[in-house]
Amino acid sequence: EVQLLESGGGLVQPGGSLRLSCVGSGFIFNNYAMTWVRQAPGKGLEWVSAIRGTGTSTFYADSVKGRFTISRDNSKNTVYLQMNSLRDEDTAIYYCAKGVLILDPFDVWGQGTMVIVSS
Amino acid sequence: DIQMTQSPSSLSASVGDKVTISCRASQTIGTSLNWYQQTLGKAPRLLLYGASSLQSGVPSRFSGSGSGTDFTLTITSLQPEDVATYFCQQSYTTPQTFGQGTKVEVK
């Protein structure tokens, strides 16, 4: 069964940092681009960042550029999202999702991990 | 960024009704349009991709159409388990933007 499992969410103060992880199973991880999508409480979906299967190219939303870094370790079937200089507006459920290429639809999603930025 | 606008924001229909949700892109995106279903407290689920291709395992009462800037998701016979919020998404270019969602309820 193809699965994605996120972890690393929690409560952090404004200006703080957090690293999210997403472990994939049931598929050849390095064949797939991975994307982070977030959803603020009661709101819609926002594409955050994506990385190619090889890890050679990364992409960011303007709202997180310069603060968030996406990376992957294909030996561990894991993609990461390092989040620095966190703001109140970063509060959301963070989902990881997979697609073959960067611009492919997301056919599998994780269950999400909650990030709360608050003092 | 390409803006995606869905209508209506919410709707209520009876079991067995035909339901139509519209999605408009702020610029042409060909058929790079996907639809997702999100039930309460769950992650989104891919329903349709490429504007009209049904994802494996999705019931055939769901269908999609459109190209360019105007797209439609249709549920031919609404079922109780279709209560959810539906999002369109363009995968023409990054950032891959989503519509604001359409909440579907059963009367």
Side-chain angles (χ1 to χ4, degrees), chain A residues 37 39 44-47 59 62 95 102-107 109-111, chain B residues 34 36 38 42-44 46 49 55 87 89 91-96 98:
Chain A
V37 176
Q39 187 170 35
L45 300 168
E46 181 187 12
W47 180 94
F59 305 83
D62 285 346
Y95 297 101
I102 288 292
L103 292 179
D104 276 350
F106 307 139
D107 61 346
W109 296 61
Q111 87 291 345
Chain B
N34 312 305
Y36 298 87
Q38 187 178 34
K42 301 289 189 181
L46 178 64
Y49 59 94
Q55 176 68 356
F87 295 93
Q89 176 218 21
S91 53
Y92 183 78
T93 187
T94 58
Q96 293 190 45
F98 293 86

PDB file of all heavy atoms in Angstrom, chain A residues 37 39 44-47 59 62 95 102-107 109-111, chain B residues 34 36 38 42-44 46 49 55 87 89 91-96 98:
ATOM      1  N   VAL A  37       1.865  20.883   0.891  1.00  0.00           N
ATOM      2  CA  VAL A  37       0.662  21.719   0.755  1.00  0.00           C
ATOM      3  C   VAL A  37       0.152  21.995   2.161  1.00  0.00           C
ATOM      4  O   VAL A  37       0.153  21.094   3.003  1.00  0.00           O
ATOM      5  CB  VAL A  37      -0.423  21.001  -0.073  1.00  0.00           C
ATOM      6  CG1 VAL A  37      -1.711  21.834  -0.122  1.00  0.00           C
ATOM      7  CG2 VAL A  37       0.068  20.705  -1.488  1.00  0.00           C
ATOM      8  N   GLN A  39      -2.855  23.936   4.869  1.00  0.00           N
ATOM      9  CA  GLN A  39      -4.245  24.357   4.999  1.00  0.00           C
ATOM     10  C   GLN A  39      -4.426  25.014   6.359  1.00  0.00           C
ATOM     11  O   GLN A  39      -4.405  24.340   7.388  1.00  0.00           O
ATOM     12  CB  GLN A  39      -5.177  23.158   4.843  1.00  0.00           C
ATOM     13  CG  GLN A  39      -6.650  23.514   4.805  1.00  0.00           C
ATOM     14  CD  GLN A  39      -7.510  22.320   4.409  1.00  0.00           C
ATOM     15  OE1 GLN A  39      -7.232  21.180   4.749  1.00  0.00           O
ATOM     16  NE2 GLN A  39      -8.563  22.589   3.655  1.00  0.00           N
ATOM     17  N   GLY A  44      -8.674  27.178   2.725  1.00  0.00           N
ATOM     18  CA  GLY A  44      -8.409  26.340   1.570  1.00  0.00           C
ATOM     19  C   GLY A  44      -6.986  25.810   1.549  1.00  0.00           C
ATOM     20  O   GLY A  44      -6.238  25.907   2.529  1.00  0.00           O
ATOM     21  N   LEU A  45      -6.623  25.234   0.409  1.00  0.00           N
ATOM     22  CA  LEU A  45      -5.317  24.595   0.250  1.00  0.00           C
ATOM     23  C   LEU A  45      -4.326  25.565  -0.383  1.00  0.00           C
ATOM     24  O   LEU A  45      -4.666  26.290  -1.322  1.00  0.00           O
ATOM     25  CB  LEU A  45      -5.473  23.351  -0.633  1.00  0.00           C
ATOM     26  CG  LEU A  45      -6.427  22.289  -0.100  1.00  0.00           C
ATOM     27  CD1 LEU A  45      -6.727  21.253  -1.182  1.00  0.00           C
ATOM     28  CD2 LEU A  45      -5.841  21.613   1.132  1.00  0.00           C
ATOM     29  N   GLU A  46      -3.104  25.543   0.129  1.00  0.00           N
ATOM     30  CA  GLU A  46      -2.037  26.399  -0.396  1.00  0.00           C
ATOM     31  C   GLU A  46      -0.806  25.545  -0.710  1.00  0.00           C
ATOM     32  O   GLU A  46      -0.246  24.908   0.196  1.00  0.00           O
ATOM     33  CB  GLU A  46      -1.671  27.504   0.583  1.00  0.00           C
ATOM     34  CG  GLU A  46      -0.580  28.425   0.072  1.00  0.00           C
ATOM     35  CD  GLU A  46      -0.079  29.444   1.091  1.00  0.00           C
ATOM     36  OE1 GLU A  46      -0.407  29.303   2.279  1.00  0.00           O
ATOM     37  OE2 GLU A  46       0.633  30.379   0.700  1.00  0.00           O
ATOM     38  N   TRP A  47      -0.390  25.546  -1.962  1.00  0.00           N
ATOM     39  CA  TRP A  47       0.854  24.892  -2.367  1.00  0.00           C
ATOM     40  C   TRP A  47       2.016  25.626  -1.731  1.00  0.00           C
ATOM     41  O   TRP A  47       2.098  26.859  -1.813  1.00  0.00           O
ATOM     42  CB  TRP A  47       0.938  24.910  -3.887  1.00  0.00           C
ATOM     43  CG  TRP A  47       2.136  24.290  -4.505  1.00  0.00           C
ATOM     44  CD1 TRP A  47       2.255  23.009  -4.955  1.00  0.00           C
ATOM     45  CD2 TRP A  47       3.378  24.927  -4.797  1.00  0.00           C
ATOM     46  NE1 TRP A  47       3.493  22.799  -5.508  1.00  0.00           N
ATOM     47  CE2 TRP A  47       4.207  23.981  -5.421  1.00  0.00           C
ATOM     48  CE3 TRP A  47       3.882  26.213  -4.590  1.00  0.00           C
ATOM     49  CZ2 TRP A  47       5.498  24.264  -5.832  1.00  0.00           C
ATOM     50  CZ3 TRP A  47       5.155  26.504  -5.005  1.00  0.00           C
ATOM     51  CH2 TRP A  47       5.956  25.526  -5.613  1.00  0.00           C
ATOM     52  N   PHE A  59      11.254  24.193  -5.536  1.00  0.00           N
ATOM     53  CA  PHE A  59      10.328  25.255  -5.899  1.00  0.00           C
ATOM     54  C   PHE A  59       9.613  25.723  -4.627  1.00  0.00           C
ATOM     55  O   PHE A  59       9.322  24.902  -3.748  1.00  0.00           O
ATOM     56  CB  PHE A  59       9.296  24.738  -6.908  1.00  0.00           C
ATOM     57  CG  PHE A  59       9.925  24.126  -8.134  1.00  0.00           C
ATOM     58  CD1 PHE A  59      10.357  22.807  -8.124  1.00  0.00           C
ATOM     59  CD2 PHE A  59      10.095  24.871  -9.289  1.00  0.00           C
ATOM     60  CE1 PHE A  59      10.949  22.238  -9.250  1.00  0.00           C
ATOM     61  CE2 PHE A  59      10.680  24.303 -10.419  1.00  0.00           C
ATOM     62  CZ  PHE A  59      11.110  22.997 -10.396  1.00  0.00           C
ATOM     63  N   ASP A  62       5.889  32.159  -2.972  1.00  0.00           N
ATOM     64  CA  ASP A  62       6.478  33.436  -2.557  1.00  0.00           C
ATOM     65  C   ASP A  62       6.325  33.658  -1.056  1.00  0.00           C
ATOM     66  O   ASP A  62       7.181  34.285  -0.424  1.00  0.00           O
ATOM     67  CB  ASP A  62       5.819  34.583  -3.325  1.00  0.00           C
ATOM     68  CG  ASP A  62       6.277  34.667  -4.768  1.00  0.00           C
ATOM     69  OD1 ASP A  62       7.296  34.026  -5.114  1.00  0.00           O
ATOM     70  OD2 ASP A  62       5.621  35.369  -5.559  1.00  0.00           O
ATOM     71  N   TYR A  95       0.501  19.058   4.719  1.00  0.00           N
ATOM     72  CA  TYR A  95       0.397  17.759   4.069  1.00  0.00           C
ATOM     73  C   TYR A  95       1.575  17.575   3.117  1.00  0.00           C
ATOM     74  O   TYR A  95       1.963  18.525   2.418  1.00  0.00           O
ATOM     75  CB  TYR A  95      -0.877  17.668   3.232  1.00  0.00           C
ATOM     76  CG  TYR A  95      -2.179  17.764   3.980  1.00  0.00           C
ATOM     77  CD1 TYR A  95      -2.904  18.947   4.015  1.00  0.00           C
ATOM     78  CD2 TYR A  95      -2.717  16.645   4.621  1.00  0.00           C
ATOM     79  CE1 TYR A  95      -4.128  19.033   4.666  1.00  0.00           C
ATOM     80  CE2 TYR A  95      -3.936  16.711   5.276  1.00  0.00           C
ATOM     81  CZ  TYR A  95      -4.631  17.909   5.297  1.00  0.00           C
ATOM     82  OH  TYR A  95      -5.832  17.984   5.949  1.00  0.00           O
ATOM     83  N   ILE A 102       6.964  17.340 -11.157  1.00  0.00           N
ATOM     84  CA  ILE A 102       6.605  18.522 -10.368  1.00  0.00           C
ATOM     85  C   ILE A 102       5.186  18.997 -10.673  1.00  0.00           C
ATOM     86  O   ILE A 102       4.442  19.398  -9.788  1.00  0.00           O
ATOM     87  CB  ILE A 102       7.617  19.645 -10.601  1.00  0.00           C
ATOM     88  CG1 ILE A 102       8.945  19.307  -9.928  1.00  0.00           C
ATOM     89  CG2 ILE A 102       7.087  20.983 -10.087  1.00  0.00           C
ATOM     90  CD1 ILE A 102       8.915  19.292  -8.420  1.00  0.00           C
ATOM     91  N   LEU A 103       4.795  18.943 -11.948  1.00  0.00           N
ATOM     92  CA  LEU A 103       3.487  19.468 -12.348  1.00  0.00           C
ATOM     93  C   LEU A 103       2.437  18.368 -12.519  1.00  0.00           C
ATOM     94  O   LEU A 103       1.416  18.573 -13.159  1.00  0.00           O
ATOM     95  CB  LEU A 103       3.621  20.289 -13.633  1.00  0.00           C
ATOM     96  CG  LEU A 103       4.393  21.604 -13.471  1.00  0.00           C
ATOM     97  CD1 LEU A 103       4.498  22.337 -14.796  1.00  0.00           C
ATOM     98  CD2 LEU A 103       3.747  22.509 -12.427  1.00  0.00           C
ATOM     99  N   ASP A 104       2.674  17.208 -11.937  1.00  0.00           N
ATOM    100  CA  ASP A 104       1.666  16.154 -11.964  1.00  0.00           C
ATOM    101  C   ASP A 104       0.669  16.349 -10.826  1.00  0.00           C
ATOM    102  O   ASP A 104       0.995  16.957  -9.796  1.00  0.00           O
ATOM    103  CB  ASP A 104       2.326  14.786 -11.825  1.00  0.00           C
ATOM    104  CG  ASP A 104       2.824  14.248 -13.147  1.00  0.00           C
ATOM    105  OD1 ASP A 104       2.492  14.834 -14.196  1.00  0.00           O
ATOM    106  OD2 ASP A 104       3.543  13.231 -13.140  1.00  0.00           O
ATOM    107  N   PRO A 105      -0.545  15.821 -10.981  1.00  0.00           N
ATOM    108  CA  PRO A 105      -1.503  15.857  -9.867  1.00  0.00           C
ATOM    109  C   PRO A 105      -0.996  15.027  -8.697  1.00  0.00           C
ATOM    110  O   PRO A 105      -0.158  14.144  -8.863  1.00  0.00           O
ATOM    111  CB  PRO A 105      -2.773  15.255 -10.471  1.00  0.00           C
ATOM    112  CG  PRO A 105      -2.303  14.451 -11.638  1.00  0.00           C
ATOM    113  CD  PRO A 105      -1.100  15.151 -12.171  1.00  0.00           C
ATOM    114  N   PHE A 106      -1.543  15.295  -7.517  1.00  0.00           N
ATOM    115  CA  PHE A 106      -1.102  14.634  -6.299  1.00  0.00           C
ATOM    116  C   PHE A 106      -2.003  13.426  -6.038  1.00  0.00           C
ATOM    117  O   PHE A 106      -3.117  13.566  -5.547  1.00  0.00           O
ATOM    118  CB  PHE A 106      -1.152  15.602  -5.123  1.00  0.00           C
ATOM    119  CG  PHE A 106      -0.418  16.894  -5.376  1.00  0.00           C
ATOM    120  CD1 PHE A 106      -0.962  18.094  -4.966  1.00  0.00           C
ATOM    121  CD2 PHE A 106       0.812  16.915  -6.008  1.00  0.00           C
ATOM    122  CE1 PHE A 106      -0.296  19.294  -5.187  1.00  0.00           C
ATOM    123  CE2 PHE A 106       1.491  18.097  -6.248  1.00  0.00           C
ATOM    124  CZ  PHE A 106       0.928  19.296  -5.833  1.00  0.00           C
ATOM    125  N   ASP A 107      -1.506  12.237  -6.346  1.00  0.00           N
ATOM    126  CA  ASP A 107      -2.361  11.064  -6.273  1.00  0.00           C
ATOM    127  C   ASP A 107      -2.398  10.431  -4.885  1.00  0.00           C
ATOM    128  O   ASP A 107      -3.310   9.657  -4.592  1.00  0.00           O
ATOM    129  CB  ASP A 107      -1.966  10.022  -7.317  1.00  0.00           C
ATOM    130  CG  ASP A 107      -0.546   9.510  -7.143  1.00  0.00           C
ATOM    131  OD1 ASP A 107       0.229  10.137  -6.390  1.00  0.00           O
ATOM    132  OD2 ASP A 107      -0.208   8.483  -7.756  1.00  0.00           O
ATOM    133  N   TRP A 109      -1.728  11.517  -0.639  1.00  0.00           N
ATOM    134  CA  TRP A 109      -1.470  12.539   0.369  1.00  0.00           C
ATOM    135  C   TRP A 109      -1.221  11.854   1.712  1.00  0.00           C
ATOM    136  O   TRP A 109      -1.788  10.803   2.000  1.00  0.00           O
ATOM    137  CB  TRP A 109      -2.665  13.473   0.520  1.00  0.00           C
ATOM    138  CG  TRP A 109      -3.019  14.287  -0.679  1.00  0.00           C
ATOM    139  CD1 TRP A 109      -3.399  13.827  -1.911  1.00  0.00           C
ATOM    140  CD2 TRP A 109      -3.060  15.709  -0.751  1.00  0.00           C
ATOM    141  NE1 TRP A 109      -3.669  14.873  -2.755  1.00  0.00           N
ATOM    142  CE2 TRP A 109      -3.477  16.050  -2.067  1.00  0.00           C
ATOM    143  CE3 TRP A 109      -2.796  16.748   0.142  1.00  0.00           C
ATOM    144  CZ2 TRP A 109      -3.618  17.384  -2.484  1.00  0.00           C
ATOM    145  CZ3 TRP A 109      -2.948  18.060  -0.271  1.00  0.00           C
ATOM    146  CH2 TRP A 109      -3.355  18.373  -1.577  1.00  0.00           C
ATOM    147  N   GLY A 110      -0.426  12.489   2.535  1.00  0.00           N
ATOM    148  CA  GLY A 110      -0.311  12.045   3.917  1.00  0.00           C
ATOM    149  C   GLY A 110      -1.492  12.531   4.731  1.00  0.00           C
ATOM    150  O   GLY A 110      -2.370  13.232   4.216  1.00  0.00           O
ATOM    151  N   GLN A 111      -1.508  12.184   6.003  1.00  0.00           N
ATOM    152  CA  GLN A 111      -2.622  12.561   6.876  1.00  0.00           C
ATOM    153  C   GLN A 111      -2.468  13.977   7.427  1.00  0.00           C
ATOM    154  O   GLN A 111      -3.415  14.540   7.981  1.00  0.00           O
ATOM    155  CB  GLN A 111      -2.757  11.551   8.035  1.00  0.00           C
ATOM    156  CG  GLN A 111      -1.900  11.831   9.263  1.00  0.00           C
ATOM    157  CD  GLN A 111      -0.402  11.649   9.022  1.00  0.00           C
ATOM    158  OE1 GLN A 111       0.024  11.051   8.038  1.00  0.00           O
ATOM    159  NE2 GLN A 111       0.405  12.184   9.940  1.00  0.00           N
TER     160      GLN A 111
ATOM    161  N   ASN B  34      -7.072  19.728 -12.103  1.00  0.00           N
ATOM    162  CA  ASN B  34      -7.355  18.558 -11.282  1.00  0.00           C
ATOM    163  C   ASN B  34      -8.425  18.902 -10.253  1.00  0.00           C
ATOM    164  O   ASN B  34      -8.563  20.062  -9.852  1.00  0.00           O
ATOM    165  CB  ASN B  34      -6.087  18.102 -10.563  1.00  0.00           C
ATOM    166  CG  ASN B  34      -4.899  18.012 -11.499  1.00  0.00           C
ATOM    167  OD1 ASN B  34      -4.959  17.330 -12.522  1.00  0.00           O
ATOM    168  ND2 ASN B  34      -3.820  18.713 -11.176  1.00  0.00           N
ATOM    169  N   TYR B  36     -10.075  17.695  -6.446  1.00  0.00           N
ATOM    170  CA  TYR B  36      -9.873  16.947  -5.208  1.00  0.00           C
ATOM    171  C   TYR B  36     -11.123  17.027  -4.351  1.00  0.00           C
ATOM    172  O   TYR B  36     -11.843  18.033  -4.363  1.00  0.00           O
ATOM    173  CB  TYR B  36      -8.684  17.504  -4.407  1.00  0.00           C
ATOM    174  CG  TYR B  36      -7.366  17.420  -5.129  1.00  0.00           C
ATOM    175  CD1 TYR B  36      -6.960  18.439  -5.982  1.00  0.00           C
ATOM    176  CD2 TYR B  36      -6.529  16.318  -4.974  1.00  0.00           C
ATOM    177  CE1 TYR B  36      -5.758  18.361  -6.664  1.00  0.00           C
ATOM    178  CE2 TYR B  36      -5.321  16.234  -5.650  1.00  0.00           C
ATOM    179  CZ  TYR B  36      -4.946  17.256  -6.498  1.00  0.00           C
ATOM    180  OH  TYR B  36      -3.753  17.174  -7.175  1.00  0.00           O
ATOM    181  N   GLN B  38     -12.301  16.679  -0.301  1.00  0.00           N
ATOM    182  CA  GLN B  38     -11.834  16.623   1.077  1.00  0.00           C
ATOM    183  C   GLN B  38     -13.019  16.476   2.017  1.00  0.00           C
ATOM    184  O   GLN B  38     -13.839  17.388   2.124  1.00  0.00           O
ATOM    185  CB  GLN B  38     -11.021  17.865   1.440  1.00  0.00           C
ATOM    186  CG  GLN B  38     -10.374  17.764   2.818  1.00  0.00           C
ATOM    187  CD  GLN B  38      -9.522  18.963   3.162  1.00  0.00           C
ATOM    188  OE1 GLN B  38      -9.809  20.090   2.784  1.00  0.00           O
ATOM    189  NE2 GLN B  38      -8.437  18.733   3.902  1.00  0.00           N
ATOM    190  N   LYS B  42     -10.115  15.015   7.006  1.00  0.00           N
ATOM    191  CA  LYS B  42      -9.269  14.120   6.223  1.00  0.00           C
ATOM    192  C   LYS B  42      -8.402  14.894   5.238  1.00  0.00           C
ATOM    193  O   LYS B  42      -8.637  16.068   4.965  1.00  0.00           O
ATOM    194  CB  LYS B  42     -10.141  13.130   5.444  1.00  0.00           C
ATOM    195  CG  LYS B  42     -11.034  12.259   6.314  1.00  0.00           C
ATOM    196  CD  LYS B  42     -10.240  11.235   7.084  1.00  0.00           C
ATOM    197  CE  LYS B  42     -11.157  10.240   7.775  1.00  0.00           C
ATOM    198  NZ  LYS B  42     -10.385   9.236   8.554  1.00  0.00           N
ATOM    199  N   ALA B  43      -7.408  14.208   4.697  1.00  0.00           N
ATOM    200  CA  ALA B  43      -6.587  14.786   3.647  1.00  0.00           C
ATOM    201  C   ALA B  43      -7.372  14.805   2.336  1.00  0.00           C
ATOM    202  O   ALA B  43      -8.298  14.007   2.148  1.00  0.00           O
ATOM    203  CB  ALA B  43      -5.311  13.967   3.475  1.00  0.00           C
ATOM    204  N   PRO B  44      -7.015  15.697   1.443  1.00  0.00           N
ATOM    205  CA  PRO B  44      -7.664  15.692   0.125  1.00  0.00           C
ATOM    206  C   PRO B  44      -7.416  14.379  -0.610  1.00  0.00           C
ATOM    207  O   PRO B  44      -6.430  13.685  -0.375  1.00  0.00           O
ATOM    208  CB  PRO B  44      -7.002  16.868  -0.597  1.00  0.00           C
ATOM    209  CG  PRO B  44      -6.532  17.764   0.493  1.00  0.00           C
ATOM    210  CD  PRO B  44      -6.095  16.839   1.593  1.00  0.00           C
ATOM    211  N   LEU B  46      -7.540  12.784  -4.660  1.00  0.00           N
ATOM    212  CA  LEU B  46      -7.613  13.110  -6.083  1.00  0.00           C
ATOM    213  C   LEU B  46      -8.809  12.416  -6.710  1.00  0.00           C
ATOM    214  O   LEU B  46      -8.949  11.186  -6.603  1.00  0.00           O
ATOM    215  CB  LEU B  46      -6.318  12.678  -6.782  1.00  0.00           C
ATOM    216  CG  LEU B  46      -6.246  12.902  -8.285  1.00  0.00           C
ATOM    217  CD1 LEU B  46      -6.290  14.395  -8.625  1.00  0.00           C
ATOM    218  CD2 LEU B  46      -4.967  12.267  -8.854  1.00  0.00           C
ATOM    219  N   TYR B  49      -8.069  14.173 -12.994  1.00  0.00           N
ATOM    220  CA  TYR B  49      -6.878  14.877 -13.422  1.00  0.00           C
ATOM    221  C   TYR B  49      -6.961  15.113 -14.923  1.00  0.00           C
ATOM    222  O   TYR B  49      -7.742  14.454 -15.623  1.00  0.00           O
ATOM    223  CB  TYR B  49      -5.606  14.079 -13.064  1.00  0.00           C
ATOM    224  CG  TYR B  49      -5.553  12.696 -13.685  1.00  0.00           C
ATOM    225  CD1 TYR B  49      -4.907  12.495 -14.895  1.00  0.00           C
ATOM    226  CD2 TYR B  49      -6.160  11.609 -13.057  1.00  0.00           C
ATOM    227  CE1 TYR B  49      -4.865  11.243 -15.475  1.00  0.00           C
ATOM    228  CE2 TYR B  49      -6.125  10.352 -13.625  1.00  0.00           C
ATOM    229  CZ  TYR B  49      -5.471  10.165 -14.836  1.00  0.00           C
ATOM    230  OH  TYR B  49      -5.431   8.917 -15.411  1.00  0.00           O
ATOM    231  N   GLN B  55      -9.614   9.344 -11.686  1.00  0.00           N
ATOM    232  CA  GLN B  55      -8.584   8.643 -10.923  1.00  0.00           C
ATOM    233  C   GLN B  55      -9.087   7.245 -10.577  1.00  0.00           C
ATOM    234  O   GLN B  55     -10.290   7.034 -10.339  1.00  0.00           O
ATOM    235  CB  GLN B  55      -8.242   9.420  -9.659  1.00  0.00           C
ATOM    236  CG  GLN B  55      -7.259   8.762  -8.710  1.00  0.00           C
ATOM    237  CD  GLN B  55      -5.845   8.646  -9.258  1.00  0.00           C
ATOM    238  OE1 GLN B  55      -5.569   8.995 -10.404  1.00  0.00           O
ATOM    239  NE2 GLN B  55      -4.937   8.150  -8.433  1.00  0.00           N
ATOM    240  N   PHE B  87     -12.131  20.916  -4.341  1.00  0.00           N
ATOM    241  CA  PHE B  87     -11.166  21.925  -4.762  1.00  0.00           C
ATOM    242  C   PHE B  87     -10.691  21.633  -6.182  1.00  0.00           C
ATOM    243  O   PHE B  87     -10.378  20.487  -6.512  1.00  0.00           O
ATOM    244  CB  PHE B  87      -9.931  21.912  -3.852  1.00  0.00           C
ATOM    245  CG  PHE B  87     -10.171  22.292  -2.425  1.00  0.00           C
ATOM    246  CD1 PHE B  87     -10.433  21.324  -1.461  1.00  0.00           C
ATOM    247  CD2 PHE B  87     -10.120  23.625  -2.032  1.00  0.00           C
ATOM    248  CE1 PHE B  87     -10.639  21.669  -0.138  1.00  0.00           C
ATOM    249  CE2 PHE B  87     -10.326  23.988  -0.710  1.00  0.00           C
ATOM    250  CZ  PHE B  87     -10.598  23.011   0.240  1.00  0.00           C
ATOM    251  N   GLN B  89      -7.586  22.585  -8.924  1.00  0.00           N
ATOM    252  CA  GLN B  89      -6.164  22.925  -8.836  1.00  0.00           C
ATOM    253  C   GLN B  89      -5.589  22.960 -10.239  1.00  0.00           C
ATOM    254  O   GLN B  89      -5.839  22.058 -11.040  1.00  0.00           O
ATOM    255  CB  GLN B  89      -5.413  21.880  -8.018  1.00  0.00           C
ATOM    256  CG  GLN B  89      -3.917  22.080  -7.952  1.00  0.00           C
ATOM    257  CD  GLN B  89      -3.134  20.771  -7.994  1.00  0.00           C
ATOM    258  OE1 GLN B  89      -3.631  19.749  -8.438  1.00  0.00           O
ATOM    259  NE2 GLN B  89      -1.919  20.804  -7.502  1.00  0.00           N
ATOM    260  N   SER B  91      -2.334  22.599 -12.553  1.00  0.00           N
ATOM    261  CA  SER B  91      -0.982  22.049 -12.552  1.00  0.00           C
ATOM    262  C   SER B  91      -0.280  22.437 -13.855  1.00  0.00           C
ATOM    263  O   SER B  91       0.529  21.676 -14.397  1.00  0.00           O
ATOM    264  CB  SER B  91      -1.016  20.521 -12.365  1.00  0.00           C
ATOM    265  OG  SER B  91      -1.872  19.905 -13.312  1.00  0.00           O
ATOM    266  N   TYR B  92      -0.574  23.627 -14.329  1.00  0.00           N
ATOM    267  CA  TYR B  92       0.039  24.148 -15.554  1.00  0.00           C
ATOM    268  C   TYR B  92       1.417  24.719 -15.269  1.00  0.00           C
ATOM    269  O   TYR B  92       2.350  24.594 -16.074  1.00  0.00           O
ATOM    270  CB  TYR B  92      -0.878  25.213 -16.148  1.00  0.00           C
ATOM    271  CG  TYR B  92      -0.422  25.794 -17.453  1.00  0.00           C
ATOM    272  CD1 TYR B  92      -0.597  25.094 -18.643  1.00  0.00           C
ATOM    273  CD2 TYR B  92       0.164  27.052 -17.508  1.00  0.00           C
ATOM    274  CE1 TYR B  92      -0.189  25.632 -19.854  1.00  0.00           C
ATOM    275  CE2 TYR B  92       0.571  27.602 -18.709  1.00  0.00           C
ATOM    276  CZ  TYR B  92       0.389  26.893 -19.872  1.00  0.00           C
ATOM    277  OH  TYR B  92       0.781  27.432 -21.066  1.00  0.00           O
ATOM    278  N   THR B  93       1.547  25.368 -14.095  1.00  0.00           N
ATOM    279  CA  THR B  93       2.800  25.983 -13.717  1.00  0.00           C
ATOM    280  C   THR B  93       2.869  26.121 -12.206  1.00  0.00           C
ATOM    281  O   THR B  93       1.841  26.123 -11.530  1.00  0.00           O
ATOM    282  CB  THR B  93       2.958  27.361 -14.381  1.00  0.00           C
ATOM    283  OG1 THR B  93       4.275  27.868 -14.130  1.00  0.00           O
ATOM    284  CG2 THR B  93       1.933  28.353 -13.856  1.00  0.00           C
ATOM    285  N   THR B  94       4.101  26.240 -11.684  1.00  0.00           N
ATOM    286  CA  THR B  94       4.243  26.527 -10.265  1.00  0.00           C
ATOM    287  C   THR B  94       4.106  28.025 -10.043  1.00  0.00           C
ATOM    288  O   THR B  94       4.484  28.824 -10.907  1.00  0.00           O
ATOM    289  CB  THR B  94       5.617  26.070  -9.732  1.00  0.00           C
ATOM    290  OG1 THR B  94       6.647  26.727 -10.482  1.00  0.00           O
ATOM    291  CG2 THR B  94       5.784  24.565  -9.855  1.00  0.00           C
ATOM    292  N   PRO B  95       3.552  28.451  -8.894  1.00  0.00           N
ATOM    293  CA  PRO B  95       2.945  27.616  -7.867  1.00  0.00           C
ATOM    294  C   PRO B  95       1.618  27.014  -8.333  1.00  0.00           C
ATOM    295  O   PRO B  95       0.822  27.692  -8.983  1.00  0.00           O
ATOM    296  CB  PRO B  95       2.718  28.594  -6.718  1.00  0.00           C
ATOM    297  CG  PRO B  95       2.502  29.908  -7.398  1.00  0.00           C
ATOM    298  CD  PRO B  95       3.410  29.882  -8.589  1.00  0.00           C
ATOM    299  N   GLN B  96       1.397  25.761  -7.996  1.00  0.00           N
ATOM    300  CA  GLN B  96       0.162  25.097  -8.377  1.00  0.00           C
ATOM    301  C   GLN B  96      -0.950  25.608  -7.479  1.00  0.00           C
ATOM    302  O   GLN B  96      -1.050  25.219  -6.336  1.00  0.00           O
ATOM    303  CB  GLN B  96       0.310  23.587  -8.244  1.00  0.00           C
ATOM    304  CG  GLN B  96       1.297  22.984  -9.235  1.00  0.00           C
ATOM    305  CD  GLN B  96       1.254  21.472  -9.238  1.00  0.00           C
ATOM    306  OE1 GLN B  96       0.189  20.873  -9.240  1.00  0.00           O
ATOM    307  NE2 GLN B  96       2.411  20.851  -9.230  1.00  0.00           N
ATOM    308  N   PHE B  98      -4.827  26.521  -6.039  1.00  0.00           N
ATOM    309  CA  PHE B  98      -6.111  25.857  -5.812  1.00  0.00           C
ATOM    310  C   PHE B  98      -7.244  26.886  -5.819  1.00  0.00           C
ATOM    311  O   PHE B  98      -7.040  28.059  -5.468  1.00  0.00           O
ATOM    312  CB  PHE B  98      -6.125  25.178  -4.440  1.00  0.00           C
ATOM    313  CG  PHE B  98      -5.176  24.009  -4.313  1.00  0.00           C
ATOM    314  CD1 PHE B  98      -3.843  24.213  -3.962  1.00  0.00           C
ATOM    315  CD2 PHE B  98      -5.607  22.712  -4.522  1.00  0.00           C
ATOM    316  CE1 PHE B  98      -2.965  23.147  -3.827  1.00  0.00           C
ATOM    317  CE2 PHE B  98      -4.746  21.636  -4.381  1.00  0.00           C
ATOM    318  CZ  PHE B  98      -3.416  21.855  -4.043  1.00  0.00           C
TER     319      PHE B  98
END
